[in-house]
Amino acid sequence: MSADVETAIFDLLNARIAPGKSVSPEEVARAVDPEGWRRLLGQVRAIARGLARQGKLVILRHNKPADPETFKGVYRLRLPMPRDAPPPQGDAP
């Protein structure tokens, strides 16, 4: 099912016409399972965090990039843009 979630994330984002457009986790979950989408929201969050750590995805809070390790609350997902900072790589010296 995680492959389905990842595929849905990128399918929805690639379908957006303008660069920088985002999708909600609910849209992703509904694309995977229109009937039982609510039970997928935790999985969408976990997969989004992993993709953000890899730099393949940006998690947005208040329309600004958020740290995938510490974000809380309502969020959206979008593809990385050139102006985005790279994801955190652990503790810096």
Side-chain angles (χ1 to χ4, degrees):
M1 183 74 67
S2 64
D4 294 339
V5 171
E6 187 172 334
T7 299
I9 289 170
F10 289 113
D11 285 351
L12 288 168
L13 287 171
N14 288 323
R16 299 296 193 239
I17 294 173
K21 293 294 181 183
S22 62
V23 297
S24 73
E26 180 181 327
E27 289 175 86
V28 174
R30 283 181 186 268
V32 175
D33 186 356
E35 298 288 321
W37 62 272
R38 284 179 183 86
R39 64 182 155 86
L40 292 176
L41 289 173
Q43 190 174 5
V44 171
R45 179 181 286 260
I47 291 168
R49 274 190 165 142
L51 293 169
R53 286 184 199 116
Q54 296 171 36
K56 295 179 181 179
L57 187 71
V58 175
I59 296 172
L60 300 172
R61 286 270 298 140
H62 304 289
N63 209 30
K64 294 182 180 144
D67 183 341
E69 303 302 325
T70 60
F71 82 96
K72 294 180 182 179
V74 178
Y75 67 100
R76 292 186 63 85
L77 307 169
R78 74 162 162 77
L79 295 173
M81 306 274 295
R83 67 180 182 265
D84 293 333
Q89 299 295 319
D91 296 326

